Amino acid sequence: MGGTPNVVAQMLARPSSVQDDGLSYLARKARNRRYDADAQNQYAYALIKTGQSGEALDVLERALSLDPHNPEYHINTAAALHQIGRWNEGAYHAQRAYELDMTKSLVAMNVGNFHYWFGETAEAAEWYEKAIRLDSSNWQAWWLWLFMLDFLPISAEDALAARRKFSAAFEPSRKLLWPKHTNTPDPEKKLRIGLTGGDFRQHSSSYMWGPIFEHLDRDRFEIFSYAHIVHEDALTAWFRQCTEGWRDITQCNDDRVLADQIRRDGVDVLMDMGTFSENSHLMAHLYKPAPVSLTAWGHLTGTGLDCMDGLLVDRVMVPEDRQWEMTEKAAYVPYAMGWYRPKQIIELGPRPERPRTFGYLGRIQKIDDPTVALWADLLYAYPDSRLILKDSAYEHERSATRTHERFEAWGINPTRVELRGQSNRDDHLATYRDVDCVLDPLPQGGGATTLEAFMMGVPTVTLRGERLVRRVSASTVSVAGHPEYVAETVAEYVEVAGRIVKDRGPALRDEFLASHICDGAARTRAFEGAVRSLWTDWCIQQRVA
């Protein structure tokens, strides 16, 4: 988010010592040209990109005083305000930028971003679609639009059609550049697996696939990591140590360049781990830099792309009669996600005397109108119960008020819906002490949320649905040994939620930790088999050709 003056983009692509010199230069330039609005904006943008948004706002205030009708200055002001948590003011400047220039896709996309952050999913989707109409080559707007559609109550057919539109917009020209792969088509060769993504750090996504780095058979496979690093931590260092080839792609703004690097590295199987998530570098896959492409873990809903050969799934997520929902081949494993075994357990503790408490500690964006209606039915069925919702958006009055009003429209007193904001990870997990049963939202169910609830010993009720996004939690609770937590109707969902409260406790957590979900070695063997099968398919195709 934010305008991108070229001089700043060039500065940020250089080493940190050079960045510091560049920032000092821009600061002097802004001081010496106090009446040059562009000089102020360039310096402010550099401050935002280096995490100094508070200082940037002072500089942008001067830029806007010199030229209050420049939409780029409003965009950058919105970005700075969002970064320091002043979302309402940021939303005003994003909207103001659009009023000043209704022709720019980036400007419309920024308005959508604020709707997304506030949890206004349908409105965000409309703005992202508007951004696409303004510039159909804006792949970021496409990603955001497709990401939003998974939160909305649309049909599986419409979800697939939207992905195919994305493919039609970007793949034809890139297919002309697909290389003839020179990898040796030997089904038994040691395979070089390339991984692209932005979550090589402590993140819910890496908690799913991280154990594979530990258990991979290094005699038969090796890993090359193409890592976009925004926040480096101890886990980043561990991933780097466990990687035969580490490529820091943080400053790579041209995914064709990245694709060329992947091809030169001789990657056999390239894995996308983020899909439509920020910093995934999915667009590099469209150049087909490796013979086989596979998408997994980060966004288990399919890409709709011809370049993507497989999607790592299990048979609960994608029954064989539902494979038409995706363009990729179903690469079946016993369980398509996974979880880590924590070194330290935050104890749940005995349940205190309190009203029956339901909870959902995940994205506000997943709480769409059908979810509110379902949870209102549940609260009505158990009149002594309460609901805890947790997301950073609830720290903002606009989101908190809107959430309470949505439940109040269904006759639920706001005092029964407690809203909590962001916290560190330990405090987040400790919140489960206050929850008796986790409620899975719809249409998109929980991924990491369901997994961490089980890790804490709290059961989750889920409603199986038509679309893949409605079957992810059903897979988790089934593999964890509790298929009875899966409801087939709304009435059954309400009944199950009330019944499984009694399962809360350390025994549920112990079952989960002993299950296939947390068996990193077994899941890695299954992953290796799926990768080898896709590779063998390619080898056979080469012989036929």
Side-chain angles (χ1 to χ4, degrees), residues 244-304:
E244 282 80 5
W246 181 267
R247 304 285 187 259
D248 187 336
I249 60 171
T250 310
Q251 302 301 335
C252 182
N253 297 316
D254 186 341
D255 280 323
R256 185 175 178 182
V257 172
L258 172 57
D260 288 341
Q261 177 66 60
I262 294 167
R263 181 178 51 80
R264 288 195 302 272
D265 285 338
V267 169
D268 298 307
V269 178
L270 184 63
M271 297 198 62
D272 154 59
M273 302 192 299
T275 313
F276 304 125
S277 304
E278 189 177 17
N279 304 325
S280 74
H281 290 267
L282 174 66
M283 300 304 286
H285 290 253
L286 274 67
Y287 294 98
K288 199 63 174 173
V292 176
S293 291
L294 175 65
T295 182
W297 300 307
H299 201 74
L300 289 166
T301 55
T303 63

Side-chain angles (χ1 to χ4, degrees), residues 304-354:
L305 296 171
D306 295 333
C307 67
M308 200 65 66
D309 301 292
L311 172 62
L312 198 70
V313 293
D314 57 57
R315 295 181 188 278
V316 176
M317 290 181 187
V318 183
E320 291 193 12
D321 63 352
R322 300 293 299 185
Q323 288 189 31
W324 62 265
E325 287 188 54
M326 43 194 258
T327 53
E328 303 88 349
K329 177 181 179 180
Y332 282 120
V333 289
Y335 180 62
M337 294 193 295
W339 205 241
Y340 69 108
R341 294 184 64 87
K343 294 180 179 178
Q344 293 181 320
I345 295 288
I346 297 176
E347 292 296 338
L348 188 64
R351 182 185 184 280
E353 287 295 324
R354 65 173 180 229

Side-chain angles (χ1 to χ4, degrees), residues 254-472:
D254 186 341
D255 280 323
R256 185 175 178 182
V257 172
L258 172 57
D260 288 341
Q261 177 66 60
I262 294 167
R263 181 178 51 80
R264 288 195 302 272
D265 285 338
V267 169
D268 298 307
V269 178
L270 184 63
M271 297 198 62
D272 154 59
M273 302 192 299
T275 313
F276 304 125
S277 304
E278 189 177 17
N279 304 325
S280 74
H281 290 267
L282 174 66
M283 300 304 286
H285 290 253
L286 274 67
Y287 294 98
K288 199 63 174 173
V292 176
S293 291
L294 175 65
T295 182
W297 300 307
H299 201 74
L300 289 166
T301 55
T303 63
L305 296 171
D306 295 333
C307 67
M308 200 65 66
D309 301 292
L311 172 62
L312 198 70
V313 293
D314 57 57
R315 295 181 188 278
V316 176
M317 290 181 187
V318 183
E320 291 193 12
D321 63 352
R322 300 293 299 185
Q323 288 189 31
W324 62 265
E325 287 188 54
M326 43 194 258
T327 53
E328 303 88 349
K329 177 181 179 180
Y332 282 120
V333 289
Y335 180 62
M337 294 193 295
W339 205 241
Y340 69 108
R341 294 184 64 87
K343 294 180 179 178
Q344 293 181 320
I345 295 288
I346 297 176
E347 292 296 338
L348 188 64
R351 182 185 184 280
E353 287 295 324
R354 65 173 180 229
R356 185 184 338 226
T357 305
F358 300 106
Y360 173 65
L361 313 186
R363 294 176 184 268
I364 187 176
Q365 291 82 10
K366 293 187 179 183
I367 306 177
D368 199 51
D369 290 342
T371 300
V372 175
L374 173 60
W375 291 354
D377 281 351
L378 184 141
L379 291 171
Y380 182 80
Y382 303 102
D384 64 335
S385 65
R386 53 197 290 267
L387 174 63
I388 294 175
L389 302 176
K390 186 175 185 296
D391 186 276
S392 60
Y394 298 126
E395 298 170 11
H396 301 274
E397 184 179 358
R398 174 166 157 177
S399 297
T401 299
R402 179 174 178 268
T403 298
H404 278 142
E405 287 176 347
R406 294 172 80 191
F407 279 96
E408 200 166 12
W410 286 93
I412 302 300
N413 192 310
T415 59
R416 297 180 64 191
V417 181
E418 180 184 347
L419 306 179
R420 301 187 186 183
Q422 192 173 24
S423 62
N424 63 46
R425 179 155 180 78
D426 284 350
D427 288 343
H428 173 78
L429 292 175
T431 305
Y432 284 98
R433 294 169 176 163
D434 300 331
V435 177
D436 299 319
C437 173
V438 168
L439 305 179
D440 200 37
L442 54 97
Q444 186 178 91
T449 307
T450 305
L451 289 158
E452 69 184 16
F454 267 94
M455 183 178 71
M456 288 301 298
V458 180
T460 296
V461 58
T462 184
L463 179 62
R464 194 197 313 268
E466 175 201 35
R467 292 172 58 193
L468 195 163
V469 293
R470 285 274 298 278
R471 300 190 293 268
V472 174

Side-chain angles (χ1 to χ4, degrees), residues 48 53 56 96 100 152 206 223 255 260 262 290 316 400 422 426 449 537:
I48 294 169
S53 286
R96 182 62 182 141
L100 292 167
L152 295 174
S206 66
I223 292 177
D255 280 323
D260 288 341
I262 294 167
V316 176
Q422 192 173 24
D426 284 350
T449 307
D537 287 346

